[in-house]
Amino acid sequence: MSWTVKPSRTQKIESRTEPYLTEEAKAKYEKDLIPRYPERRGALLPILHDLQHHERCVSHQAMVEVAQFLQITPGEVLDTVSFYEEFHVEPVGRHVVAVCQSVACEACGHAAVLDHLKDKLGIDEHETTPDGKITLLALECLGACEKAPCMLRNDELVGPLTPDQAARLVDELE
Amino acid sequence: MFLDEPVLTKNIPGCGPLQSTWGRAEDRTVTTGKTYRDRGGYAALEKCIGMESSAIIDEVKNAILRGRGGAGFPAGMKWSFLPPEDGQPRYLAINCDEAEPGTFKDRLLVDFDPHLVLEGIAIACWACKLDHAYFFIRGEYPSQAITMQRAIDEAYEMGVFGGNGLLGKCDFKVDCTLHRGAGAYICGEETGLLEAIEGRRGWPRLKPPFPAVKGLFGRPTIVNNVETLAAVVPIMEKGAPWWQGIGVESSIGGPPSYGTKLMGVSGHVEKPGVYEAPLGVSLKCLVEDYCGGMRGGKGFKAAIAGGASMGILSTDQYEAEMDFDIGRKYDLMGLGTACPTVFDEDTDMVAVARNLSRFFKNESCGQCTPCREGAQWMFKLLSRIEAGEADSNDLDMLLELAGSMGIMPGTTICGLADGHNWAVRTVVNKFRGEFESRVRPAKTALQGVALTSSASGS
Ligand SMILES: Cc1cc2nc3c(=O)[nH]c(=O)nc-3n(C[C@H](O)[C@H](O)[C@H](O)COP(=O)(O)O)c2cc1C
Ligand code: SF4
Ligand code: FES
């Protein structure tokens, strides 16, 4: 639900002295990304991906820095960040496990897989284990329907899964 | 119906019917740039560089290559909508969003034969004089993004892109950039995709202006699906008449369905996967001869024809031909991506409708009120019906809502709402008994809910 607004009143806006966009990173973006687009803003999604990958979130401070770098307003960056499911304002776990809940996977038994993982990890979907290790997601079609029921384990599409196999694959994560 | 030999999957084993000699899926590996070239790859591009742009566009037009991304719009015709060159940049946006539930065919090409796609991209850019190709790939394909980036790098090294012009054989220089999405189905809609490349939320734009006139960064842009571009390569290699020899004519006087199609079959079949078949193959043949039949020998009950948006085929439509006539012949929105999800006799169709509705509710971008609010209500009503807490008025309300949202009723910006509409409406209409047996009769009849005059239509 990309358009649903999350409560912001209670949200802590963290800040740190060390910048998210290091000079080194900026030089790299300037060289590799900016020339690929006719407007600086085109580099926004790739930069957000980079931040999400390294920091496991795109924090408000990072959004301000990105805005300065791309010469757009922080509001515009927030507008984009808040739309896309893969960008998180709060850090996700070190590993992200996303079970597909769309039609082919449901027909092939995704519920048993998801429930088993919830039980084993002691968390609900869209939550992170208290040790910050694993975030469990239930997402829509992952584009791997021949593997139904399937999940995306970090960068890897895996399936078809039995509940036990899914649990084992999650256990293997360091 | 079978192909004599693989066309789009000639470098990808295991995409044929069960008894064919097309190799085993277990033997698939990515075709590197070098292997691709050694097998005669990029020859079609070379041939095209020796041709006039208009001749290439005419060939694709004559082949009547209809878009493989869902809408079935003829590619050659789309290309000819571009305004004349004005010296400023023009773009190609490649649609590898592939987020339609049940669809996973483009992934096969990216995983195992990325250079076929890149060759198609280079030909399209040359024919339409497009300077920069943006390969938009969904966020949920991280390893595919890596494979594609590697192939793009190889193509640069081989001189296909950048450098001194295409293959170093002409002045025209093309760039190709991979651009990753971040988890939003709506970015598959062609103008939502453009917004996402520009770094904005993927909100579809009102059309016109169409992308060919005013697209990426305000410039003329062609948006094509991955498979459409891949198909350009064999067409330019072997010619339009050869392409027209595969597939079928329309049986109802409509435009023809020529060529081969990647069909990803999922759900309750023995061997789900992507198969290459001629357009016009029946669903039954696809299930029985390609996929080894229904899983566990169960009976066929229904199938989503080609991606969730298109609607459902009922039990007596098992022999439906998978071609572009399918919409008009079997009361569906269309062929879509030609990737059926098959359900066996034990499937609860109310649960199927509820699942589809949840998808569209989650993925609505929220710009248009009928889609945003209608989606929420449809999902709630279906959940209520599934739980046995609804009465017959709720069922009427559901159909009323479904029938009133979309481009076709004229109430939304993009086709996502039509997809929701067709997905739910066809399941309810074709399996009405299952829904009725789950609802109580209403105490008083529902009054005054006619939101639009066309709402009671099929
Ligand atoms: C909600 C929605 C989602 C879509 N998703 C995709 C998609 O994931 N991939 C795709 O190729 N086309 C998708 N399309 C169709 C595109 O808008 C467009 O028609 C297509 O990319 C054009 O390419 P083609 O003519 O080569 O098929 C979608 C359309 C809508 C309305
Ligand atoms: S129809 Fe739905 S998805 Fe499409 S633009 Fe409107 S709100 Fe967004
Ligand atoms: S429905 Fe689960 S991957 Fe497509």
Side-chain angles (χ1 to χ4, degrees), chain A residues 36-37 84 106 141 143 146, chain B residues 107 134 138 179 200 355:
Chain A
R36 313 292 311 178
Y37 301 89
Y84 293 96
E106 180 175 319
C141 182
E146 85 279 26
Chain B
R107 199 186 93 231
Y134 289 94
R138 65 182 305 199
H179 190 96
R200 298 169 207 277
N355 183 299

Side-chain angles (χ1 to χ4, degrees), chain B residues 99-394:
Chain B
E100 181 82 27
T103 304
F104 48 100
K105 65 185 178 67
D106 297 338
R107 199 186 93 231
L108 181 90
L109 292 174
V110 174
D111 264 336
F112 301 112
D113 205 5
H115 284 279
L116 178 71
V117 183
L118 291 176
E119 184 171 5
I121 291 170
I123 294 175
C125 288
W126 166 248
C128 304
K129 297 293 174 285
L130 310 172
D131 307 86
H132 202 134
Y134 289 94
F135 192 94
F136 183 91
I137 187 164
R138 65 182 305 199
E140 293 86 341
Y141 282 173
S143 69
Q144 286 70 21
I146 293 171
T147 310
M148 201 66 209
Q149 184 61 58
R150 208 174 289 142
I152 292 172
D153 294 344
E154 281 175 347
Y156 267 95
E157 280 162 27
M158 289 156 63
V160 175
F161 297 123
N164 313 317
L166 288 165
L167 290 173
K169 289 188 164 44
C170 63
D171 293 339
F172 191 72
K173 177 172 165 272
V174 175
D175 275 303
C176 183
T177 300
L178 184 88
H179 190 96
R180 290 186 63 202
Y185 165 67
I186 196 58
C187 294
E189 198 280 340
E190 53 182 1
T191 54
L193 180 120
L194 302 180
E195 294 283 318
I197 298 177
E198 292 182 6
R200 298 169 207 277
R201 49 176 53 214
W203 273 3
R205 300 173 184 170
L206 265 176
K207 289 177 266 188
F210 289 95
V213 177
K214 190 164 183 277
L216 259 186
F217 305 104
R219 296 291 305 157
T221 304
I222 293 293
V223 184
N224 270 137
N225 173 258
V226 169
E227 187 190 347
T228 311
L229 291 163
V232 167
V233 179
I235 289 174
M236 291 315 297
E237 219 166 64
K238 300 180 182 165
W242 164 82
W243 181 256
Q244 291 203 6
I246 308 170
V248 288
E249 298 292 339
S250 169
S251 61
I252 50 173
S257 304
Y258 293 140
T260 82
K261 181 80 192 68
L262 299 181
M263 302 193 184
V265 191
S266 59
H268 300 143
V269 296
E270 281 290 342
K271 285 186 64 175
V274 180
Y275 300 95
E276 185 175 16
L279 279 168
V281 63
S282 76
L283 175 65
K284 186 174 178 190
C285 168
L286 205 53
V287 170
E288 317 239 310
D289 298 331
Y290 287 78
C291 299
M294 296 294 294
R295 201 174 66 183
K298 289 267 167 79
F300 169 87
K301 180 165 186 185
I304 293 170
S309 303
M310 294 299 134
I312 204 147
L313 290 165
S314 55
T315 316
D316 58 358
Q317 295 174 339
Y318 191 22
E319 300 196 27
E321 305 85 358
M322 300 290 292
D323 59 39
F324 289 103
D325 285 345
I326 198 170
R328 273 169 67 197
K329 273 164 77 175
Y330 300 100
D331 188 25
L332 300 170
M333 186 147 83
L335 181 64
T337 57
C339 290
T341 301
V342 179
F343 304 107
D344 69 20
E345 54 198 336
D346 298 337
T347 311
D348 174 358
M349 297 317 287
V350 180
V352 168
R354 184 261 305 136
N355 183 299
L356 294 173
S357 183
R358 194 220 33 244
F359 171 80
F360 291 103
K361 167 188 79 80
N362 283 353
E363 300 299 335
S364 164
C365 84
Q367 277 191 99
C368 321
T369 309
C371 172
R372 181 187 64 237
E373 305 297 323
Q376 298 284 342
W377 279 107
M378 279 167 64
F379 175 64
K380 274 189 195 159
L381 287 165
L382 280 161
S383 305
R384 216 185 275 167
I385 296 170
E386 190 182 13
E389 290 161 4
D391 66 25
S392 53
N393 283 347
D394 290 323

Side-chain angles (χ1 to χ4, degrees), chain A residues 3 13 25 32 37 43-46 48-49 60 70 73 78 81 87 89 113 115 126 150 156 162 164 168 170-172:
Chain A
W3 45 269
I13 298 192
D32 296 341
Y37 301 89
L44 180 53
L45 253 55
L48 294 176
H49 268 300
H60 285 93
L70 294 178
T73 65
L78 175 63
V81 170
F87 301 138
V89 179
V113 172
D115 288 345
H126 303 284
C150 67
E156 191 193 356
T162 63
D164 285 334
R168 223 172 307 130
V170 172
D171 276 344
E172 276 171 16

Side-chain angles (χ1 to χ4, degrees), chain A residues 12 17 32 34 51 54 62 86-87 116 126 132-133 156 160:
Chain A
K12 266 206 326 282
T17 44
D32 296 341
I34 301 292
L51 280 166
H54 288 109
E86 282 181 38
F87 301 138
H116 191 59
H126 303 284
K133 186 172 158 192
E156 191 193 356

Side-chain angles (χ1 to χ4, degrees), chain A residues 100 102-105 141-145 150, chain B residues 102:
Chain A
C100 174
S102 281
V103 68
C105 287
C141 182
L142 299 171
C145 325
C150 67

